[in-house]
Each structure stands twice: as structure tokens, then as C-alpha cells.
Amino acid sequence: MDSAAERVAVLLLAFGRRGATGDHSVSDLARAVGRERSQVSRMLQALSRGGLVEQDSQTKRYRLSWDMLVLAAGAGDSSLLRAARPVLRALVARTGEVALLSVQRGNRSLTVLREESNQSLRAGGWVGRSSPLHCTASGRALLFDTDDDLVAELVAEDLTTPISGLSAPRTLEEVLERLRSERDRGYSMASEEVEIGLTSVGVPLRTPAGGLVGVINVSGPTSRMINRLDDAARRLRAAATAIENTLGRMPDGNGPGRSS
């Protein structure tokens, strides 16, 4: 039987899966965590008293509080974030597109850092948002070191979920075929897969020991990106090398301390 702390943790994580900065109804959150509405309502009231969530006085919908968002911003692998932030900013300056850092969390790609130019159109992905592995550039790049059997387990659930982009792979065979091609060329590319009008390119990040610890990608409107894929990949590889070199100079000599 799960504890009260586990139930609270599951509820807070549901905010992230549904968009960490959005407002959510009690009913939506109850469905997301598989609990009775009355039980979730009581949990949310307790979290609100504790300052972790806020309720809109008019819509009665809930959002994560600023205190919670600030706390979350300091979580995770600080060495990876420190190494990546200035490099992503430089990448944005050179490409004019959104640059993201993502890590794998279970069967999802989780965005942990986003840099954006003032002139770029807003693209999909923000800090705290999780995305499917099979139909995003970050997700497939995170699978570069994963064997086919584990890929099948990780993408099984999302393959049965409707995707807005018409170009998303619909079967495991299509996912594996795209992965094989992307591994060979060293970068992933998702165009019109998770969002119509959006194209992204992703490149893995590795520790000095070779472990895959994350992915950086650039995302932008397909009209701008589609003829710049090779250039985007080249800039991403250079950015990945810069981040990896910084990680290699950190005191423990193994970067983020993970060797997945």
C-alpha cells in the first residue's frame, strides 16, 4: 500500500506531466493520478496550505506555486546545467532558434533547460515538460545507447496514444528504423512529429567515460529549419563537445557523476 508521501509525490509529478506552468482542475488531476476527486481535492488543499500549490480564486484550478517552481529550478544535476547554459545561449545566438537540454526520466524526455532568442517564434518544449521518447528529437537521441528490447518497453505506452503530428512513427518497427538511421549519422531529427509546423534536431551528451547523460537540441518552425538540418547538427555537435569538455574538467573527472 502506498504511503501518504508517495501519493503526494505522484500528485506533484502529475503537474509536470501536464505542463508545470499551467492551471489544472481537480478532476483532471484526479484522472491523471487515478484517485477519487474528493481525495485529490483534500491533498491539493493541504499542499496549498503548505505553499507548494496555488488555487485560482475564480477558476478554482490549481498551479504549482512560485516557491515550488524556484525549488524545482535548483534541482537535478547542477554541474550539467552549469556546463550547458552558456553553450546553449551561444547556440541560440548563432541559430536564432530555441535550444533545449533534456534528460531521460523513465519513459519520457524531460526538458531541464531552455534558452530562447527574442526573435524566435515560440517552439514546443519548456522546463519541466516531459515528452514521448519515440517521436521527439530529444527522445530518440536519448535512446541511442538503448537496445531494441528496452526501446520496445519504453515506447509501448506512447505508441498507443494519439499524436498531433502526422509524421510521427506509428509502429515499433518505424521507431527502430528511424533510430538506426539516426545513430549512424550521429543526430536525431523530428519534423512534424509531435507538433505540426515544428522541426527539431538533437545530439547526445556524454561523460568522459562515455555514458549518455542528456541531449541538446534546437527547435524551430519547419519553414526555417528544414533546409538547415546539416548546419544545425554541425553546430549542435560543436556545442555538445564544448559541454562535454567542461564536464570533463570538473573536480570528479566524470562530469555529472552518472554513467548511464
Side-chain angles (χ1 to χ4, degrees), residues 57-223:
S57 60
Q58 296 190 2
T59 67
K60 305 302 181 183
R61 295 166 72 88
Y62 285 88
R63 69 177 71 92
L64 294 180
S65 69
W66 276 110
D67 285 343
M68 187 65 180
L69 291 172
V70 169
L71 179 65
D77 197 327
S78 59
S79 60
L80 181 57
L81 295 176
R82 287 199 311 271
R85 184 170 284 111
V87 177
L88 291 192
R89 286 175 180 165
L91 190 61
V92 168
R94 294 187 180 100
T95 65
E97 306 295 354
V98 174
L100 305 171
L101 167 65
S102 302
V103 298
Q104 185 174 345
R105 184 181 179 278
N107 69 336
R108 310 289 284 182
S109 168
L110 178 68
T111 301
V112 295
L113 182 62
R114 171 187 175 119
E115 295 293 340
E116 178 180 354
S117 72
N118 292 330
Q119 62 190 21
S120 62
L121 294 177
R122 298 192 68 84
W126 56 84
V127 173
R129 178 183 180 182
S130 63
S131 305
L133 292 172
H134 74 289
C135 63
T136 58
S138 60
R140 286 206 296 272
L142 286 167
L143 295 174
F144 274 15
D145 292 357
T146 306
D147 64 49
D148 289 359
D149 289 339
L150 183 52
V151 169
E153 292 180 25
L154 291 170
V155 306
E157 180 180 351
D158 284 315
L159 275 174
T160 64
T161 304
I163 299 296
S164 59
L166 298 177
S167 299
R170 305 294 175 180
T171 66
L172 175 61
E173 289 71 22
E174 290 180 30
V175 175
L176 295 176
E177 182 179 355
R178 294 188 194 189
L179 264 176
R180 283 190 286 269
S181 175
E182 290 169 343
R183 286 171 181 142
D184 287 343
R185 70 187 181 209
Y187 69 89
S188 58
M189 189 276 291
S191 182
E192 313 274 317
E193 291 192 30
V194 74
E195 184 176 326
I196 296 172
L198 179 71
T199 293
S200 301
V201 178
V203 168
L205 292 173
R206 298 183 183 278
T207 66
L212 198 161
V213 293
V215 167
I216 54 173
N217 75 51
V218 291
S219 300
T222 299
S223 59

